[in-house]
mmCIF file of all heavy atoms in Angstrom:
data_model
loop_
_atom_site.group_PDB
_atom_site.id
_atom_site.type_symbol
_atom_site.label_atom_id
_atom_site.label_comp_id
_atom_site.label_asym_id
_atom_site.label_seq_id
_atom_site.Cartn_x
_atom_site.Cartn_y
_atom_site.Cartn_z
ATOM 1 N N ALA A 31 191.730 -131.994 100.134
ATOM 2 C CA ALA A 31 190.252 -131.943 100.476
ATOM 3 C C ALA A 31 189.547 -133.110 100.081
ATOM 4 O O ALA A 31 190.030 -134.068 99.441
ATOM 5 C CB ALA A 31 189.689 -130.714 99.873
ATOM 6 N N GLY A 32 188.327 -133.261 100.491
ATOM 7 C CA GLY A 32 187.420 -134.354 100.304
ATOM 8 C C GLY A 32 186.905 -134.942 101.566
ATOM 9 O O GLY A 32 187.435 -134.773 102.661
ATOM 10 N N ALA A 33 185.822 -135.639 101.453
ATOM 11 C CA ALA A 33 185.175 -136.205 102.713
ATOM 12 C C ALA A 33 185.980 -137.348 103.251
ATOM 13 O O ALA A 33 185.853 -137.528 104.514
ATOM 14 C CB ALA A 33 183.733 -136.749 102.246
ATOM 15 N N VAL A 34 186.759 -138.014 102.524
ATOM 16 C CA VAL A 34 187.584 -139.116 103.156
ATOM 17 C C VAL A 34 188.979 -138.983 102.751
ATOM 18 O O VAL A 34 189.392 -138.361 101.759
ATOM 19 C CB VAL A 34 187.155 -140.586 102.622
ATOM 20 C CG1 VAL A 34 185.637 -140.942 103.119
ATOM 21 C CG2 VAL A 34 187.208 -140.657 101.085
ATOM 22 N N ARG A 35 189.868 -139.495 103.625
ATOM 23 C CA ARG A 35 191.285 -139.395 103.420
ATOM 24 C C ARG A 35 191.904 -140.770 103.611
ATOM 25 O O ARG A 35 191.318 -141.635 104.255
ATOM 26 C CB ARG A 35 191.898 -138.388 104.427
ATOM 27 C CG ARG A 35 191.372 -137.006 104.223
ATOM 28 C CD ARG A 35 191.924 -136.006 105.261
ATOM 29 N NE ARG A 35 193.302 -136.160 105.473
ATOM 30 C CZ ARG A 35 193.941 -135.769 106.553
ATOM 31 N NH1 ARG A 35 193.329 -135.121 107.434
ATOM 32 N NH2 ARG A 35 195.250 -135.925 106.719
ATOM 33 N N ALA A 36 193.036 -140.922 103.106
ATOM 34 C CA ALA A 36 193.779 -142.253 103.242
ATOM 35 C C ALA A 36 193.987 -142.406 104.762
ATOM 36 O O ALA A 36 194.398 -141.471 105.471
ATOM 37 C CB ALA A 36 195.186 -142.156 102.540
ATOM 38 N N GLY A 37 193.702 -143.575 105.177
ATOM 39 C CA GLY A 37 193.847 -143.916 106.578
ATOM 40 C C GLY A 37 192.568 -143.971 107.304
ATOM 41 O O GLY A 37 192.371 -144.497 108.387
ATOM 42 N N ASP A 38 191.472 -143.420 106.657
ATOM 43 C CA ASP A 38 190.104 -143.398 107.294
ATOM 44 C C ASP A 38 189.460 -144.809 107.017
ATOM 45 O O ASP A 38 189.842 -145.364 105.967
ATOM 46 C CB ASP A 38 189.268 -142.316 106.571
ATOM 47 C CG ASP A 38 189.547 -140.887 107.032
ATOM 48 O OD1 ASP A 38 190.419 -140.713 107.881
ATOM 49 O OD2 ASP A 38 188.991 -139.926 106.300
ATOM 50 N N ARG A 39 188.521 -145.171 107.870
ATOM 51 C CA ARG A 39 187.732 -146.341 107.561
ATOM 52 C C ARG A 39 186.866 -145.895 106.342
ATOM 53 O O ARG A 39 186.237 -144.794 106.258
ATOM 54 C CB ARG A 39 186.859 -146.721 108.686
ATOM 55 C CG ARG A 39 185.916 -147.892 108.447
ATOM 56 C CD ARG A 39 185.243 -148.370 109.629
ATOM 57 N NE ARG A 39 185.956 -148.902 110.699
ATOM 58 C CZ ARG A 39 186.554 -150.119 110.752
ATOM 59 N NH1 ARG A 39 186.325 -150.917 109.794
ATOM 60 N NH2 ARG A 39 187.338 -150.533 111.778
ATOM 61 N N ALA A 40 186.678 -146.799 105.396
ATOM 62 C CA ALA A 40 185.919 -146.530 104.154
ATOM 63 C C ALA A 40 184.418 -146.560 104.501
ATOM 64 O O ALA A 40 183.983 -147.547 105.021
ATOM 65 C CB ALA A 40 186.193 -147.562 103.140
ATOM 66 N N PRO A 41 183.651 -145.453 104.235
ATOM 67 C CA PRO A 41 182.309 -145.471 104.444
ATOM 68 C C PRO A 41 181.489 -146.259 103.400
ATOM 69 O O PRO A 41 182.017 -146.545 102.284
ATOM 70 C CB PRO A 41 181.858 -143.983 104.470
ATOM 71 C CG PRO A 41 182.948 -143.299 103.635
ATOM 72 C CD PRO A 41 184.184 -144.206 103.826
ATOM 73 N N ASP A 42 180.241 -146.631 103.828
ATOM 74 C CA ASP A 42 179.396 -147.279 102.845
ATOM 75 C C ASP A 42 178.703 -146.288 101.953
ATOM 76 O O ASP A 42 178.592 -145.177 102.340
ATOM 77 C CB ASP A 42 178.338 -148.116 103.682
ATOM 78 C CG ASP A 42 177.599 -149.223 102.850
ATOM 79 O OD1 ASP A 42 178.038 -149.469 101.668
ATOM 80 O OD2 ASP A 42 176.632 -149.681 103.336
ATOM 81 N N SER A 43 178.270 -146.742 100.883
ATOM 82 C CA SER A 43 177.440 -145.868 99.959
ATOM 83 C C SER A 43 176.762 -146.822 98.971
ATOM 84 O O SER A 43 177.258 -147.919 98.663
ATOM 85 C CB SER A 43 178.319 -144.934 99.313
ATOM 86 O OG SER A 43 177.574 -144.106 98.326
ATOM 87 N N PRO A 44 175.572 -146.432 98.434
ATOM 88 C CA PRO A 44 175.002 -147.223 97.340
ATOM 89 C C PRO A 44 175.865 -147.197 96.131
ATOM 90 O O PRO A 44 176.576 -146.266 95.923
ATOM 91 C CB PRO A 44 173.636 -146.438 97.055
ATOM 92 C CG PRO A 44 173.411 -145.612 98.271
ATOM 93 C CD PRO A 44 174.728 -145.330 98.891
ATOM 94 N N CYS A 45 175.920 -148.205 95.369
ATOM 95 C CA CYS A 45 176.738 -148.314 94.146
ATOM 96 C C CYS A 45 175.862 -148.849 93.056
ATOM 97 O O CYS A 45 176.134 -150.065 92.714
ATOM 98 C CB CYS A 45 178.046 -148.933 94.361
ATOM 99 S SG CYS A 45 178.062 -150.648 95.027
ATOM 100 N N PRO A 46 174.960 -148.201 92.565
ATOM 101 C CA PRO A 46 174.157 -148.633 91.401
ATOM 102 C C PRO A 46 174.965 -148.935 90.127
ATOM 103 O O PRO A 46 175.935 -148.339 89.925
ATOM 104 C CB PRO A 46 173.089 -147.529 91.247
ATOM 105 C CG PRO A 46 173.800 -146.344 91.636
ATOM 106 C CD PRO A 46 174.693 -146.726 92.812
#
Side-chain angles (χ1 to χ4, degrees):
V34 295
R35 295 177 46 202
D38 290 349
R39 182 175 290 282
D42 197 11
S43 179
C45 57

